[in-house]
Amino acid sequence: MRKLAIYCLLICSLFLVIFSSLIFGAMHIPIKEVLSILSKYLGLHDANVNNTYEGVIYIIRLPRLLLGLLVGAALGVSGAAIQGIFRNPLAEPGLIGISAGASLMAVIVISLELSLLASLSNLLGYYLLAFGAFVGAGVVAFLVYNIARTDGRANVATMLLAGIAINAFAGALTGLITYLADEQQLRTITFWMLGSLGGATWQTVWSVMPFIALPLIVLPLLGKSLNAFSLGETQASILGLRPNRVKTQVVVLATLAVGASVAVSGIIGFVGLLVPHIVRLAGGVDHRFVLPASALFGALTLTLADVLARNLAAPIELPIGVITALLGSPVFLYILIKEKKKLFN
Amino acid sequence: MLTATALNYKIGKYCLLRDVSFQIQPGEFLAILGANGAGKSTLINILSGEKKPSSGNVWLFNKELNEYLPHELAKKRTILQQHNSVQLSFSVEEVLLMGRYPHFKHRPGKFDFIVIEETMEVCGIAHLAKRSYPSLSGGEQQRVQYARILCQIWDQPKSLLLMDEPVAALDPQYQQQTMAIAKAFSTRGFMVIAVLHEINLAAQYADRILMLKGGRKWLDGTPIEVLTPAHIYAIFNTDVDVMINKQTLKPIVIPKQLDLDVGGFNSLLSPISVENTEALT
């Protein structure tokens, strides 16, 4: 019942944040206008709407909102899933280098293929970018998992140290490519470093939709397997699972989601850590609950962070990565202090 | 029925198990005894399907173990292992529900909750139901894991219950309880195989004892046949007296006291002087 209440709360607040994201910004749009524009799109009635307002909503705010929801849900659910497979609440895509791997590959794709991309249709170019990011994320995830694994479970210290090494390595290569890049490439690359939803267009939304929708639908179905996994790989196989298959499914789906979000919005840190942790505190650790709730809460958090990023210092827009890091790092420290005994034994 | 034929297990040039064959029928309780490194854990992990023997096979009900699909096998055998760590704070109830995972797809049925309730009652952990697993003591965690694996086969008659040193972390009360529950399962037609260190628990509860030495089967027989001072000396290098409990007619094994030469066992202490010896006597 408590879980049901949490779902209700999440969905209600999600609606609130969605509306505030459409209303507030450099231009304030009255809620009445927002409602009539939305109901026009839904085909409810075709009242006359203010064209300027409609333009702002259709061209700028709606794609940005949808991208925020998708990326937030992707980061939340993949953070929860990766923590489940590593059996460890500190396994966050950003910390263990998965995002860095994704962004390195994205930067490589940009600098090597920018001329080619221009010749391809733009949507295909985005798919290539997302696919490159996915490959980078996937390679790092398998690498870290196998480095950190001792006696069938991931060792926290090794995992985090491997993450530091990979972050440094990917950072160095990214730096090198940045150094060699021309001006056009530089501008595109800088965008990945910061982490922002500012590049949202309908095209980016449609290009990441399939890569994020699939993990969003399938990962929550793996909740039972991830629960069994928390008993250890051996016990999971005694319960009739094929551990290697579960591992592959989770890592592929989670890195698909992370890769796609990195490709369109750069590295947005700490969402994958913060979101599942709060969800577990509120409603328990059962993955059948944590996975869908993390998707909802991730979407909520990122959209809220984006509203803050656009409005706190308006008309200047803060990078969203700054907001999530400001909120996320104290929580990370809090988890470390509170659970250090449990975590490192 | 479980049949193991000519099991061998090699790691590199080390042979951990040589030519071990035996059989167990539904309703039997088999204890496996042996010194450290005799191959007990290897054997039980082969029986559970976790390790593949280098040669030889295990048959479970006329079908070879590795021909079962994982989810089929999960309904026919379970194993209680020595080390179980759960880092996320699942509640005890949730951990037990995991034992039912092979039996439902996405949502547990009413029946699964009945199984969990009965198991908790039998194992005496009903009062821990809402507690978080990592907050329990080592012994309590062990009893919860025991209950979890019982949930897995609770409604699957004739299935195989494997236990690797099930009582190592437990108080005497729960040692007896754990063995009694396993015994009750075997009486109801399950096959129980337990690796034990406590010879007397094996004598009390097992129908048959399999002794391993250096990876080979040394003996296979009833407790009365197997537990003689000569055999125990051969396996454990320990002098014992064996008596018969007149009420149960089962053997009781009592190790003989081992005396060290007090004067000579530690060359760094000053030799025992005459006054000291006198003071002691």
Side-chain angles (χ1 to χ4, degrees), chain A residues 3 83-84 86-89 153-154 156 221-228 230-232 234-235 237-242 280 283-288 342-343 345, chain B residues 48 50 69-71 73-74 77-81 84-91 94-95 97-108 134 145 148-149 152:
Chain A
K3 287 170 186 166
Q83 285 158 20
F86 275 84
R87 303 176 66 199
N88 187 315
R153 65 197 193 97
V156 200
L221 299 178
L222 294 173
K224 217 179 86 172
S225 308
L226 281 174
N227 280 350
S230 62
L231 296 168
T234 316
Q235 285 300 331
S237 75
I238 295 292
L239 286 170
L241 292 177
R242 299 170 200 260
R280 276 192 220 103
V285 297
D286 187 339
H287 288 98
R288 289 172 300 160
K342 229 185 335 177
L343 282 171
N345 279 339
Chain B
S48 79
E50 190 202 332
L69 292 172
H71 67 268
L73 199 55
R77 69 90 182 78
T78 187
I79 179 167
L80 177 63
Q81 286 174 319
N84 299 285
S85 77
V86 178
Q87 267 153 356
L88 292 173
S89 46
F90 283 100
S91 73
E94 285 170 328
V95 172
L97 187 62
M98 291 180 202
R100 297 302 299 169
Y101 279 3
H103 304 283
F104 66 87
K105 197 139 179 81
H106 289 293
R107 293 194 160 277
Q145 292 289 347
R148 176 178 65 79
I149 65 144
Q152 191 182 341

Side-chain angles (χ1 to χ4, degrees), chain B:
Chain B
M1 190 176 72
L2 176 97
T3 313
T5 50
L7 295 178
N8 279 285
Y9 189 79
K10 287 191 186 110
I11 295 181
K13 59 180 179 179
Y14 295 103
C15 203
L16 299 186
L17 222 52
R18 281 171 220 256
D19 214 21
V20 174
S21 304
F22 68 94
Q23 205 175 52
I24 171 173
Q25 304 288 340
E28 260 190 307
F29 189 141
L30 177 75
I32 301 175
L33 293 183
N36 298 118
K40 307 182 296 284
S41 293
T42 310
L43 177 59
I44 204 150
N45 285 328
I46 286 175
L47 297 180
S48 79
E50 190 202 332
K51 286 185 174 150
K52 303 267 172 288
S54 309
S55 67
N57 5 35
V58 179
W59 295 77
L60 184 62
F61 300 112
N62 302 323
K63 190 167 163 185
E64 243 187 276
L65 207 56
N66 53 21
E67 281 173 16
Y68 282 95
L69 292 172
H71 67 268
E72 279 178 354
L73 199 55
K75 292 179 184 169
K76 287 202 161 57
R77 69 90 182 78
T78 187
I79 179 167
L80 177 63
Q81 286 174 319
Q82 291 181 50
H83 303 291
N84 299 285
S85 77
V86 178
Q87 267 153 356
L88 292 173
S89 46
F90 283 100
S91 73
V92 167
E93 254 174 343
E94 285 170 328
V95 172
L96 293 203
L97 187 62
M98 291 180 202
R100 297 302 299 169
Y101 279 3
H103 304 283
F104 66 87
K105 197 139 179 81
H106 289 293
R107 293 194 160 277
K110 223 180 222 168
F111 186 72
D112 296 308
F113 289 107
I114 296 175
V115 169
I116 290 173
E117 222 163 276
E118 284 188 9
T119 318
M120 285 200 294
E121 207 57 53
V122 168
C123 296
I125 54 166
H127 63 291
L128 301 175
K130 304 284 176 203
R131 287 274 301 276
S132 139
Y133 180 86
S135 75
L136 302 177
S137 75
E140 286 170 331
Q141 291 187 346
Q142 181 74 0
R143 285 158 57 207
V144 171
Q145 292 289 347
Y146 187 43
R148 176 178 65 79
I149 65 144
L150 294 181
C151 282
Q152 191 182 341
I153 53 162
W154 192 256
D155 52 341
Q156 308 289 318
K158 290 188 183 173
S159 50
L160 175 64
L161 170 59
L162 301 166
M163 303 193 284
D164 192 0
E165 296 184 25
V167 298
L170 299 179
D171 295 340
Q173 177 198 352
Y174 296 116
Q175 292 191 352
Q176 296 293 333
Q177 189 195 50
T178 301
M179 297 303 288
I181 292 169
K183 178 77 189 167
F185 264 86
S186 81
T187 311
R188 293 296 297 270
F190 288 71
M191 296 181 280
V192 180
I193 302 180
V195 167
L196 289 172
H197 272 303
E198 297 75 5
I199 305 179
N200 281 317
L201 284 180
Q204 277 179 293
Y205 290 99
D207 300 310
R208 256 169 65 204
I209 294 177
L210 183 82
M211 274 187 163
L212 290 176
K213 183 181 164 90
R216 289 180 192 278
K217 182 166 91 174
W218 183 261
L219 271 175
D220 178 358
T222 61
I224 289 277
E225 290 165 350
V226 172
L227 298 177
T228 65
H231 292 318
I232 291 173
Y233 189 82
I235 296 289
F236 294 107
N237 236 342
T238 307
D239 275 320
V240 297
D241 288 321
V242 175
M243 312 197 326
I244 299 292
N245 181 336
K246 288 187 180 105
Q247 273 141 26
T248 62
L249 297 179
K250 290 189 171 154
I252 304 172
V253 176
I254 303 162
K256 285 184 184 162
Q257 187 180 336
L258 197 59
D259 282 318
L260 288 177
D261 169 19
V262 183
F265 88 111
N266 186 334
S267 66
L268 297 179
L269 293 178
S270 56
I272 296 179
S273 62
V274 182
E275 301 94 74
N276 276 349
T277 343
E278 278 174 352
L280 285 172
T281 48

